[in-house]
Amino acid sequence: MTDSWVNSARGLGADLHLELSGPGGRRAALIRALREAVRDGRLVPGTRLPPYRSLAADLGVARNTVADAYAELVAEGWLTARQGSGTRVAERVEPLGAPERVPRKGPPRARGPRHDLRQGTPDVSAFPRAAWLASYRRALQRAPNESFGPGDPAGRIELREALAEYLARARGVRTEPGRIVICSGFAHALRLLFPAVLRGPLAVESYGLPFHRELLAATGVRTVPLALDEDGARVGDLGGERAVLLTPAHQFPTGGPLHPARRAAVVDWARARGGVVLEDDYDGEFRYDRKPVGAVQGLDPERVVHLGSVSKSLSPALRLGWMVLPARYVDGVLAAKGEREAWAGVLDQLALADFIGSGSYDRHVRRMRQRYRGRRDRLVEALAAHAPHVRVTGIAAGLHAVLELPPGSESSAVKAAVWQGLALDGLAEFRHPGATAAMTAPDGLVVGYATPPEHAYGAALEALCAALPPP
């Protein structure tokens, strides 16, 4: 006996694998195979089976063999046959003769949050579908034949040229296409840099994403926390480290920019130590109360690695990011990446190049900057009206704010938020495990105001105010 496939074009909605094996002739094997297909759900109730002739041709058996098998299964109640409607799987919850199913017992499912105020995600409902589709079509039509072959580890030259122009204009980055390497995001950039190009220990801000610290720890890189104050990371405390990771445009998550004097000081430190500054420019485009703060990379392109992506400006689903590298690191990063581009799709890269070059990216960023500024203002107004004792900080830029809470109230506020159907994070979730007491910020909540869709934002703010501790 052999295995065979039932062709979907001959009556089924999808291909079906029938294994004609076991004792007996082909008729018995076909009956067993069809019973099993019904029993395990591959043939659902109401499915119309192929005519005798079609199935016989697919399986390489006589028409009478299929007719007899159908008739037997109709008699057993597995199938039904009516004039004009063909042979179908019987409409019943369980086929006749099947063992009774015992429902699985397990813990009750917790109801998910009604409102998502977690940081890190843009308003995905605002993705510019029409403009992106237009760019994708143009990119596909114009793509040279060679772009459908093995990719360049550095990324498509069209995107690197578009990024060099955009980053110089919008972020003050000084570079050229040959020093830009396309990656799938910030985490991928860290994996390429450590440990193949850079070594630890790495100085980091005392508050940041735990995921990034865990990723570095998995590669054997020890991270050393730097204290934060109202002027950003205290870069004067840098010791024997050879690299430092900063979020200078908008410290994550506390929210302030790195003071101009400290921006210059950290570049001087890198020059004196032969070190490097890793600049995470994760939401540099979204500044509301004054012009965007330019990139630190512009102060010294040979001592700063500028890292960016479209995860906040467009969508994390695109998996497109970039590294603007000092010349001495380019070859090492490309070697770590490998000979074949396996991380960022070529067509997505070409589409993004067109999206930037056509001006659609600038228009989208301006539109979202206005929308997020309105979201931020509504958050501030709601707090002023319903929780004036709660101070909100870090609101000059970005997609989140920090709500300062009375000492000892953060944990209870997070629990209260869960009861209100809110998903959000306490500030302590982002504290470096090696941070000393002097590096610890006050209790607080990190509130992402970009994620909820527009129609649900008002209700999310009401739930947030209800979860906050009283004066």
Short mmCIF file of all heavy atoms in Angstrom, two decimals, residues 319-375:
data_model
loop_
_atom_site.label_atom_id
_atom_site.label_comp_id
_atom_site.label_asym_id
_atom_site.label_seq_id
_atom_site.Cartn_x
_atom_site.Cartn_y
_atom_site.Cartn_z
N ARG A 319 10.81 44.94 11.13
CA ARG A 319 12.13 44.38 11.45
C ARG A 319 13.23 45.01 10.60
O ARG A 319 14.00 44.33 9.92
CB ARG A 319 12.15 42.85 11.26
CG ARG A 319 11.05 42.10 11.97
CD ARG A 319 10.89 42.46 13.42
NE ARG A 319 12.12 42.38 14.17
CZ ARG A 319 12.44 43.18 15.17
NH1 ARG A 319 11.64 44.17 15.53
NH2 ARG A 319 13.57 43.04 15.80
N LEU A 320 13.29 46.33 10.63
CA LEU A 320 14.32 47.06 9.90
C LEU A 320 15.00 48.05 10.82
O LEU A 320 14.34 48.87 11.47
CB LEU A 320 13.71 47.81 8.71
CG LEU A 320 13.32 46.97 7.49
CD1 LEU A 320 12.55 47.82 6.49
CD2 LEU A 320 14.55 46.37 6.84
N GLY A 321 16.32 47.97 10.89
CA GLY A 321 17.11 48.89 11.68
C GLY A 321 18.42 49.15 10.99
O GLY A 321 18.69 48.65 9.89
N TRP A 322 19.26 49.98 11.63
CA TRP A 322 20.53 50.31 11.00
C TRP A 322 21.59 50.63 12.06
O TRP A 322 21.28 51.01 13.18
CB TRP A 322 20.38 51.51 10.06
CG TRP A 322 19.68 52.68 10.68
CD1 TRP A 322 20.22 53.68 11.44
CD2 TRP A 322 18.28 52.96 10.62
NE1 TRP A 322 19.27 54.56 11.85
CE2 TRP A 322 18.05 54.15 11.36
CE3 TRP A 322 17.19 52.34 10.02
CZ2 TRP A 322 16.79 54.71 11.51
CZ3 TRP A 322 15.93 52.90 10.16
CH2 TRP A 322 15.74 54.07 10.89
N MET A 323 22.82 50.44 11.66
CA MET A 323 23.98 50.84 12.44
C MET A 323 24.81 51.80 11.61
O MET A 323 25.15 51.49 10.46
CB MET A 323 24.84 49.63 12.79
CG MET A 323 24.20 48.63 13.72
SD MET A 323 25.30 47.21 14.04
CE MET A 323 24.94 46.22 12.60
N VAL A 324 25.10 52.96 12.16
CA VAL A 324 26.04 53.90 11.53
C VAL A 324 27.36 53.73 12.28
O VAL A 324 27.47 54.09 13.45
CB VAL A 324 25.53 55.34 11.61
CG1 VAL A 324 26.52 56.28 10.93
CG2 VAL A 324 24.16 55.45 10.95
N LEU A 325 28.35 53.18 11.60
CA LEU A 325 29.54 52.68 12.27
C LEU A 325 30.77 53.54 12.01
O LEU A 325 30.94 54.11 10.91
CB LEU A 325 29.85 51.26 11.77
CG LEU A 325 28.79 50.19 12.07
CD1 LEU A 325 29.02 48.97 11.19
CD2 LEU A 325 28.85 49.81 13.54
N PRO A 326 31.66 53.63 12.99
CA PRO A 326 33.02 54.11 12.69
C PRO A 326 33.65 53.20 11.63
O PRO A 326 33.36 51.99 11.57
CB PRO A 326 33.74 53.98 14.03
CG PRO A 326 32.65 54.04 15.06
CD PRO A 326 31.48 53.34 14.42
N ALA A 327 34.50 53.76 10.82
CA ALA A 327 35.08 53.00 9.70
C ALA A 327 35.76 51.72 10.16
O ALA A 327 35.70 50.68 9.50
CB ALA A 327 36.04 53.88 8.92
N ARG A 328 36.39 51.75 11.33
CA ARG A 328 37.18 50.59 11.77
C ARG A 328 36.30 49.40 12.17
O ARG A 328 36.82 48.28 12.32
CB ARG A 328 38.07 50.98 12.95
CG ARG A 328 37.32 51.37 14.22
CD ARG A 328 38.29 51.90 15.27
NE ARG A 328 37.66 52.23 16.55
CZ ARG A 328 36.99 53.33 16.79
NH1 ARG A 328 36.85 54.24 15.82
NH2 ARG A 328 36.45 53.56 17.97
N TYR A 329 35.00 49.61 12.33
CA TYR A 329 34.13 48.51 12.76
C TYR A 329 33.35 47.86 11.62
O TYR A 329 32.73 46.82 11.81
CB TYR A 329 33.12 49.01 13.80
CG TYR A 329 33.72 49.43 15.12
CD1 TYR A 329 33.13 50.45 15.86
CD2 TYR A 329 34.86 48.82 15.62
CE1 TYR A 329 33.66 50.85 17.08
CE2 TYR A 329 35.41 49.22 16.82
CZ TYR A 329 34.80 50.24 17.56
OH TYR A 329 35.34 50.62 18.75
N VAL A 330 33.36 48.47 10.44
CA VAL A 330 32.49 47.99 9.37
C VAL A 330 32.81 46.55 8.99
O VAL A 330 31.93 45.68 8.92
CB VAL A 330 32.58 48.91 8.15
CG1 VAL A 330 31.82 48.31 6.97
CG2 VAL A 330 32.03 50.29 8.48
N ASP A 331 34.07 46.25 8.74
CA ASP A 331 34.43 44.90 8.29
C ASP A 331 34.10 43.85 9.35
O ASP A 331 33.64 42.75 9.03
CB ASP A 331 35.92 44.85 7.95
CG ASP A 331 36.26 45.62 6.68
OD1 ASP A 331 35.33 45.92 5.90
OD2 ASP A 331 37.46 45.93 6.47
N GLY A 332 34.34 44.18 10.63
CA GLY A 332 34.06 43.21 11.68
C GLY A 332 32.57 42.92 11.79
O GLY A 332 32.17 41.76 12.00
N VAL A 333 31.73 43.94 11.66
CA VAL A 333 30.29 43.73 11.73
C VAL A 333 29.82 42.90 10.53
O VAL A 333 29.00 41.98 10.68
CB VAL A 333 29.55 45.08 11.79
CG1 VAL A 333 28.05 44.89 11.55
CG2 VAL A 333 29.79 45.74 13.13
N LEU A 334 30.33 43.19 9.35
CA LEU A 334 29.93 42.41 8.17
C LEU A 334 30.38 40.97 8.29
O LEU A 334 29.67 40.05 7.87
CB LEU A 334 30.50 43.05 6.90
CG LEU A 334 29.94 44.44 6.55
CD1 LEU A 334 30.59 44.96 5.28
CD2 LEU A 334 28.43 44.38 6.40
N ALA A 335 31.55 40.75 8.86
CA ALA A 335 32.01 39.38 9.06
C ALA A 335 31.12 38.65 10.05
O ALA A 335 30.81 37.46 9.87
CB ALA A 335 33.47 39.38 9.54
N ALA A 336 30.69 39.35 11.10
CA ALA A 336 29.80 38.73 12.08
C ALA A 336 28.44 38.43 11.48
O ALA A 336 27.79 37.46 11.83
CB ALA A 336 29.65 39.65 13.29
N LYS A 337 28.04 39.25 10.53
CA LYS A 337 26.73 39.07 9.92
C LYS A 337 26.71 37.89 8.96
O LYS A 337 25.71 37.20 8.83
CB LYS A 337 26.33 40.35 9.18
CG LYS A 337 24.83 40.48 8.98
CD LYS A 337 24.49 41.83 8.38
CE LYS A 337 22.99 42.00 8.33
NZ LYS A 337 22.61 43.19 7.54
N GLY A 338 27.80 37.65 8.29
CA GLY A 338 27.88 36.50 7.40
C GLY A 338 27.76 36.90 5.94
O GLY A 338 27.47 38.05 5.59
N GLU A 339 27.95 35.92 5.08
CA GLU A 339 27.98 36.17 3.64
C GLU A 339 26.61 36.43 3.04
O GLU A 339 26.49 37.11 2.04
CB GLU A 339 28.63 34.96 2.91
CG GLU A 339 30.10 34.79 3.21
CD GLU A 339 30.92 35.96 2.69
OE1 GLU A 339 30.57 36.52 1.64
OE2 GLU A 339 31.92 36.31 3.34
N ARG A 340 25.58 35.83 3.62
CA ARG A 340 24.24 35.98 3.06
C ARG A 340 23.37 36.82 3.97
O ARG A 340 23.36 36.63 5.18
CB ARG A 340 23.58 34.60 2.85
CG ARG A 340 24.29 33.70 1.85
CD ARG A 340 24.11 34.22 0.43
NE ARG A 340 24.77 33.36 -0.55
CZ ARG A 340 24.15 32.39 -1.20
NH1 ARG A 340 22.89 32.12 -0.96
NH2 ARG A 340 24.81 31.67 -2.09
N GLU A 341 22.59 37.74 3.41
CA GLU A 341 21.66 38.57 4.18
C GLU A 341 20.45 37.73 4.55
O GLU A 341 19.67 37.32 3.69
CB GLU A 341 21.23 39.78 3.35
CG GLU A 341 20.12 40.59 3.98
CD GLU A 341 20.50 41.07 5.36
OE1 GLU A 341 21.29 42.00 5.46
OE2 GLU A 341 20.00 40.49 6.32
N ALA A 342 20.34 37.41 5.84
CA ALA A 342 19.26 36.53 6.28
C ALA A 342 18.36 37.20 7.30
O ALA A 342 17.55 36.52 7.94
CB ALA A 342 19.85 35.25 6.88
N TRP A 343 18.46 38.50 7.45
CA TRP A 343 17.76 39.13 8.56
C TRP A 343 16.71 40.14 8.11
O TRP A 343 15.63 40.19 8.65
CB TRP A 343 18.77 39.82 9.48
CG TRP A 343 19.80 38.87 9.99
CD1 TRP A 343 21.04 38.66 9.49
CD2 TRP A 343 19.67 37.96 11.08
NE1 TRP A 343 21.71 37.70 10.20
CE2 TRP A 343 20.88 37.26 11.19
CE3 TRP A 343 18.65 37.68 11.99
CZ2 TRP A 343 21.10 36.29 12.16
CZ3 TRP A 343 18.87 36.72 12.96
CH2 TRP A 343 20.08 36.04 13.04
N ALA A 344 17.01 40.97 7.17
CA ALA A 344 16.07 41.98 6.71
C ALA A 344 15.76 41.75 5.25
O ALA A 344 16.66 41.71 4.41
CB ALA A 344 16.67 43.39 6.91
N GLY A 345 14.46 41.56 4.93
CA GLY A 345 14.07 41.24 3.57
C GLY A 345 14.45 42.35 2.59
O GLY A 345 14.28 43.53 2.87
N VAL A 346 14.94 41.95 1.43
CA VAL A 346 15.38 42.91 0.42
C VAL A 346 14.23 43.78 -0.04
O VAL A 346 14.37 45.00 -0.20
CB VAL A 346 16.02 42.17 -0.77
CG1 VAL A 346 16.17 43.09 -1.97
CG2 VAL A 346 17.40 41.62 -0.36
N LEU A 347 13.06 43.21 -0.27
CA LEU A 347 11.94 44.01 -0.76
C LEU A 347 11.49 45.03 0.28
O LEU A 347 11.11 46.16 -0.07
CB LEU A 347 10.78 43.09 -1.16
CG LEU A 347 11.06 42.17 -2.35
CD1 LEU A 347 9.86 41.33 -2.68
CD2 LEU A 347 11.48 43.00 -3.57
N ASP A 348 11.52 44.66 1.56
CA ASP A 348 11.20 45.64 2.60
C ASP A 348 12.23 46.77 2.61
O ASP A 348 11.89 47.94 2.82
CB ASP A 348 11.15 44.97 3.97
CG ASP A 348 9.86 44.20 4.19
OD1 ASP A 348 8.91 44.39 3.41
OD2 ASP A 348 9.81 43.40 5.15
N GLN A 349 13.50 46.43 2.41
CA GLN A 349 14.53 47.46 2.36
C GLN A 349 14.30 48.42 1.19
O GLN A 349 14.39 49.64 1.34
CB GLN A 349 15.91 46.82 2.24
CG GLN A 349 16.36 46.03 3.45
CD GLN A 349 17.75 45.48 3.26
OE1 GLN A 349 18.68 46.22 2.92
NE2 GLN A 349 17.92 44.19 3.48
N LEU A 350 13.97 47.86 0.03
CA LEU A 350 13.72 48.70 -1.13
C LEU A 350 12.48 49.56 -0.93
O LEU A 350 12.45 50.73 -1.34
CB LEU A 350 13.57 47.83 -2.38
CG LEU A 350 14.83 47.09 -2.84
CD1 LEU A 350 14.50 46.14 -3.98
CD2 LEU A 350 15.91 48.07 -3.26
N ALA A 351 11.46 48.99 -0.29
CA ALA A 351 10.24 49.76 -0.03
C ALA A 351 10.53 50.91 0.93
O ALA A 351 10.04 52.03 0.73
CB ALA A 351 9.15 48.85 0.53
N LEU A 352 11.33 50.66 1.98
CA LEU A 352 11.66 51.72 2.92
C LEU A 352 12.49 52.80 2.24
O LEU A 352 12.31 54.00 2.51
CB LEU A 352 12.40 51.15 4.13
CG LEU A 352 12.79 52.17 5.20
CD1 LEU A 352 11.57 52.92 5.73
CD2 LEU A 352 13.54 51.50 6.35
N ALA A 353 13.39 52.40 1.35
CA ALA A 353 14.18 53.40 0.62
C ALA A 353 13.27 54.32 -0.17
O ALA A 353 13.44 55.55 -0.18
CB ALA A 353 15.18 52.70 -0.30
N ASP A 354 12.27 53.74 -0.85
CA ASP A 354 11.32 54.57 -1.60
C ASP A 354 10.46 55.40 -0.66
O ASP A 354 10.18 56.57 -0.94
CB ASP A 354 10.43 53.67 -2.46
CG ASP A 354 9.43 54.46 -3.28
OD1 ASP A 354 8.33 54.78 -2.76
OD2 ASP A 354 9.75 54.79 -4.44
N PHE A 355 10.06 54.82 0.45
CA PHE A 355 9.21 55.52 1.43
C PHE A 355 9.92 56.77 1.96
O PHE A 355 9.31 57.82 2.13
CB PHE A 355 8.87 54.55 2.57
CG PHE A 355 7.70 54.97 3.41
CD1 PHE A 355 6.41 54.90 2.91
CD2 PHE A 355 7.89 55.41 4.70
CE1 PHE A 355 5.33 55.27 3.69
CE2 PHE A 355 6.82 55.78 5.49
CZ PHE A 355 5.52 55.71 4.98
N ILE A 356 11.21 56.64 2.21
CA ILE A 356 12.00 57.79 2.68
C ILE A 356 12.21 58.78 1.54
O ILE A 356 11.99 59.98 1.69
CB ILE A 356 13.35 57.32 3.25
CG1 ILE A 356 13.13 56.48 4.52
CG2 ILE A 356 14.24 58.53 3.56
CD1 ILE A 356 14.40 55.82 5.03
N GLY A 357 12.64 58.26 0.39
CA GLY A 357 12.96 59.13 -0.73
C GLY A 357 11.78 59.90 -1.27
O GLY A 357 11.93 61.03 -1.77
N SER A 358 10.58 59.34 -1.19
CA SER A 358 9.37 60.00 -1.71
C SER A 358 8.82 61.06 -0.76
O SER A 358 7.88 61.78 -1.12
CB SER A 358 8.29 58.95 -1.98
OG SER A 358 7.84 58.37 -0.76
N GLY A 359 9.37 61.13 0.46
CA GLY A 359 8.86 62.06 1.46
C GLY A 359 7.76 61.49 2.33
O GLY A 359 7.30 62.16 3.26
N SER A 360 7.34 60.25 2.05
CA SER A 360 6.25 59.65 2.84
C SER A 360 6.66 59.44 4.29
O SER A 360 5.83 59.57 5.19
CB SER A 360 5.83 58.32 2.21
OG SER A 360 5.26 58.52 0.94
N TYR A 361 7.93 59.12 4.52
CA TYR A 361 8.38 58.89 5.89
C TYR A 361 8.31 60.19 6.70
O TYR A 361 7.80 60.20 7.82
CB TYR A 361 9.80 58.34 5.88
CG TYR A 361 10.31 57.89 7.23
CD1 TYR A 361 9.84 56.73 7.82
CD2 TYR A 361 11.27 58.64 7.91
CE1 TYR A 361 10.30 56.32 9.05
CE2 TYR A 361 11.74 58.24 9.15
CZ TYR A 361 11.25 57.07 9.71
OH TYR A 361 11.71 56.67 10.95
N ASP A 362 8.78 61.28 6.12
CA ASP A 362 8.71 62.56 6.82
C ASP A 362 7.27 62.95 7.12
O ASP A 362 6.96 63.43 8.22
CB ASP A 362 9.38 63.66 5.99
CG ASP A 362 10.89 63.55 5.97
OD1 ASP A 362 11.42 62.84 5.10
OD2 ASP A 362 11.53 64.16 6.82
N ARG A 363 6.39 62.76 6.15
CA ARG A 363 4.98 63.11 6.36
C ARG A 363 4.36 62.27 7.45
O ARG A 363 3.60 62.76 8.30
CB ARG A 363 4.20 62.97 5.05
CG ARG A 363 4.52 64.04 4.03
CD ARG A 363 3.58 64.00 2.85
NE ARG A 363 3.78 62.81 2.02
CZ ARG A 363 4.65 62.73 1.02
NH1 ARG A 363 5.41 63.78 0.71
NH2 ARG A 363 4.76 61.62 0.30
N HIS A 364 4.70 60.98 7.47
CA HIS A 364 4.15 60.10 8.51
C HIS A 364 4.67 60.48 9.88
O HIS A 364 3.90 60.54 10.86
CB HIS A 364 4.52 58.65 8.20
CG HIS A 364 4.11 57.69 9.26
ND1 HIS A 364 2.80 57.33 9.50
CD2 HIS A 364 4.85 57.01 10.20
CE1 HIS A 364 2.74 56.48 10.51
NE2 HIS A 364 3.97 56.28 10.95
N VAL A 365 5.95 60.76 9.99
CA VAL A 365 6.52 61.15 11.29
C VAL A 365 5.88 62.45 11.78
O VAL A 365 5.54 62.58 12.97
CB VAL A 365 8.05 61.28 11.19
CG1 VAL A 365 8.62 61.97 12.43
CG2 VAL A 365 8.69 59.90 11.02
N ARG A 366 5.71 63.43 10.89
CA ARG A 366 5.07 64.68 11.31
C ARG A 366 3.64 64.43 11.78
O ARG A 366 3.20 65.01 12.79
CB ARG A 366 5.08 65.68 10.16
CG ARG A 366 6.42 66.33 9.90
CD ARG A 366 6.28 67.57 9.03
NE ARG A 366 5.74 67.26 7.71
CZ ARG A 366 6.49 66.96 6.65
NH1 ARG A 366 7.81 66.91 6.77
NH2 ARG A 366 5.94 66.71 5.49
N ARG A 367 2.92 63.61 11.06
CA ARG A 367 1.53 63.31 11.45
C ARG A 367 1.48 62.61 12.80
O ARG A 367 0.66 62.95 13.67
CB ARG A 367 0.88 62.45 10.38
CG ARG A 367 -0.59 62.13 10.64
CD ARG A 367 -1.25 61.51 9.43
NE ARG A 367 -0.61 60.27 9.01
CZ ARG A 367 0.12 60.13 7.92
NH1 ARG A 367 0.34 61.16 7.12
NH2 ARG A 367 0.67 58.96 7.61
N MET A 368 2.36 61.64 13.02
CA MET A 368 2.35 60.90 14.28
C MET A 368 2.89 61.77 15.42
O MET A 368 2.42 61.63 16.57
CB MET A 368 3.18 59.63 14.16
CG MET A 368 2.63 58.64 13.13
SD MET A 368 0.84 58.35 13.27
CE MET A 368 0.74 57.64 14.90
N ARG A 369 3.83 62.66 15.14
CA ARG A 369 4.30 63.57 16.17
C ARG A 369 3.14 64.43 16.69
O ARG A 369 2.99 64.64 17.90
CB ARG A 369 5.41 64.46 15.61
CG ARG A 369 6.09 65.33 16.67
CD ARG A 369 7.09 66.27 16.03
NE ARG A 369 8.20 65.55 15.40
CZ ARG A 369 8.61 65.75 14.16
NH1 ARG A 369 8.00 66.64 13.39
NH2 ARG A 369 9.61 65.07 13.67
N GLN A 370 2.30 64.90 15.78
CA GLN A 370 1.15 65.69 16.19
C GLN A 370 0.16 64.85 16.99
O GLN A 370 -0.39 65.29 18.00
CB GLN A 370 0.47 66.27 14.96
CG GLN A 370 -0.69 67.20 15.26
CD GLN A 370 -1.25 67.85 14.01
OE1 GLN A 370 -0.86 67.52 12.89
NE2 GLN A 370 -2.18 68.77 14.18
N ARG A 371 -0.06 63.61 16.54
CA ARG A 371 -1.00 62.74 17.25
C ARG A 371 -0.50 62.40 18.64
O ARG A 371 -1.23 62.46 19.63
CB ARG A 371 -1.24 61.45 16.46
CG ARG A 371 -2.13 60.45 17.19
CD ARG A 371 -2.40 59.21 16.38
NE ARG A 371 -3.14 59.51 15.17
CZ ARG A 371 -3.72 58.58 14.41
NH1 ARG A 371 -3.63 57.29 14.75
NH2 ARG A 371 -4.37 58.90 13.31
N TYR A 372 0.77 62.04 18.75
CA TYR A 372 1.31 61.67 20.06
C TYR A 372 1.39 62.87 21.00
O TYR A 372 1.23 62.72 22.21
CB TYR A 372 2.68 61.02 19.89
CG TYR A 372 2.65 59.69 19.16
CD1 TYR A 372 3.71 59.30 18.33
CD2 TYR A 372 1.57 58.82 19.29
CE1 TYR A 372 3.69 58.09 17.66
CE2 TYR A 372 1.54 57.61 18.61
CZ TYR A 372 2.60 57.26 17.80
OH TYR A 372 2.58 56.05 17.13
N ARG A 373 1.66 64.05 20.45
CA ARG A 373 1.63 65.24 21.29
C ARG A 373 0.23 65.43 21.88
O ARG A 373 0.08 65.75 23.07
CB ARG A 373 2.02 66.48 20.50
CG ARG A 373 2.04 67.75 21.35
CD ARG A 373 2.18 69.01 20.52
NE ARG A 373 3.52 69.12 19.95
CZ ARG A 373 3.78 69.10 18.64
NH1 ARG A 373 2.79 68.96 17.77
NH2 ARG A 373 5.01 69.23 18.20
N GLY A 374 -0.80 65.20 21.06
CA GLY A 374 -2.16 65.28 21.57
C GLY A 374 -2.44 64.23 22.63
O GLY A 374 -3.11 64.51 23.64
N ARG A 375 -1.93 63.03 22.45
CA ARG A 375 -2.09 61.97 23.45
C ARG A 375 -1.42 62.39 24.76
O ARG A 375 -1.98 62.23 25.84
CB ARG A 375 -1.46 60.67 22.95
CG ARG A 375 -2.13 60.04 21.74
CD ARG A 375 -3.30 59.17 22.16
NE ARG A 375 -3.82 58.43 21.05
CZ ARG A 375 -3.49 57.18 20.74
NH1 ARG A 375 -2.63 56.53 21.49
NH2 ARG A 375 -4.05 56.57 19.71
#
